[in-house]
């Protein structure tokens, strides 16, 4: 089996949860197997860009930025617009790698998932734009959360291949 390369702590809903994670990481002994691994913390936010306990995303980014045990900061399981805006905020506040993997557009109210657009899933043809928007916002790790599947990954791969081909042509 391949060795563990990263630990993903994801779908964190509150500043309090993020603070508990940073305390736990800071308390790890120097010889802990987790030290030296990439550790990312990704949160889910409200449509207003706040944590589900009402805190500002910028406050959480600052908290995670101050934790030496966190290597990546990001968002997951949020609609693309929330993910893109939040990634832009994080890019201004931290030099850590940014993670962005939005869902298919549904929003969590704290009690239930709402689909305001009436769309069952992000269309795979839109996936290329999703990748590009998150990457332009500053994310170096981009993916898809709930209801994003193989067709979306193929669209992202095609986009990456096309970008690489354009870069190679420009270099010639």
């Amino acid at each position: 089996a391949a060795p563990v390369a990263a630990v993903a702590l994801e779908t964190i809903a509150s500043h309090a949860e993020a603070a508990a994670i940073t305390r736990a990481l800071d308390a790890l002994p120097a010889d802990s197997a987790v030290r030296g691994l990439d550790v990312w913390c990704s949160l889910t936010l409200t449509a207003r860009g706040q944590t589900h306990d009402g805190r500002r995303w910028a406050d959480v980014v600052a908290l995670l930025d101050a934790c030496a045990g966190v290597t990546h900061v990001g968002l997951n399981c949020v609609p693309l617009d929330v993910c893109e805006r939040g990634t832009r905020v994080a890019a201004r506040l931290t030099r850590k790698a940014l993670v962005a993997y939005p869902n298919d557009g549904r929003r969590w109210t704290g009690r239930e998932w709402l689909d305001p657009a009436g769309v069952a899933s992000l269309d795979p043809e839109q996936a290329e734009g999703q990748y590009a928007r998150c990457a332009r916002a500053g994310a170096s790790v981009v993916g898809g959360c709930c209801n994003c599947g193989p067709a979306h990954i193929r669209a992202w791969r095609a986009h990456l291949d096309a970008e690489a081909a354009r870069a190679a042509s420009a270099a010639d």
Side-chain angles (χ1 to χ4, degrees), residues 1-166:
V4 173
V7 175
L9 305 169
E10 62 175 19
T11 321
I12 301 163
S14 70
H15 184 279
E17 287 177 78
I21 288 168
T22 61
R23 285 191 305 273
L25 289 171
D26 287 341
L28 288 172
D31 62 349
S32 169
V34 175
R35 297 224 185 255
L37 296 178
D38 284 342
V39 175
W40 78 51
C41 292
S42 61
L43 279 81
T44 180
L45 301 176
T46 67
R48 292 179 301 198
Q50 297 175 319
T51 62
H52 290 277
D53 59 355
R55 298 291 295 269
R56 293 178 339 123
W57 168 232
D59 295 339
V60 179
V61 174
L63 173 75
L64 297 173
D65 187 60
C67 181
V70 174
T71 59
H72 295 63
V73 174
L75 296 165
N76 76 292
C77 211
V78 294
L80 176 58
D81 62 323
V82 174
C83 197
E84 181 183 10
R85 281 193 319 267
T87 301
R88 289 187 192 287
V89 168
R92 289 192 303 268
L93 299 173
T94 184
R95 298 179 71 72
K96 294 186 182 206
L98 300 179
V99 176
Y101 47 115
N103 66 16
D104 66 345
R106 295 176 298 156
R107 297 182 191 273
W108 177 248
T109 67
R111 294 177 195 223
E112 64 182 339
W113 286 102
L114 294 180
D115 184 5
V119 178
S121 181
L122 177 69
D123 187 306
E125 283 74 39
Q126 294 173 314
E128 178 178 321
Q130 174 177 309
Y131 162 79
R133 287 173 61 182
C134 289
R136 280 193 301 269
S140 60
V141 177
V142 178
C145 204
C146 298
N147 288 335
C148 294
H152 300 92
I153 302 302
R154 282 191 292 276
W156 292 327
R157 180 78 251 168
H159 180 77
L160 287 170
D161 290 346
E163 277 188 351
R166 280 191 297 275

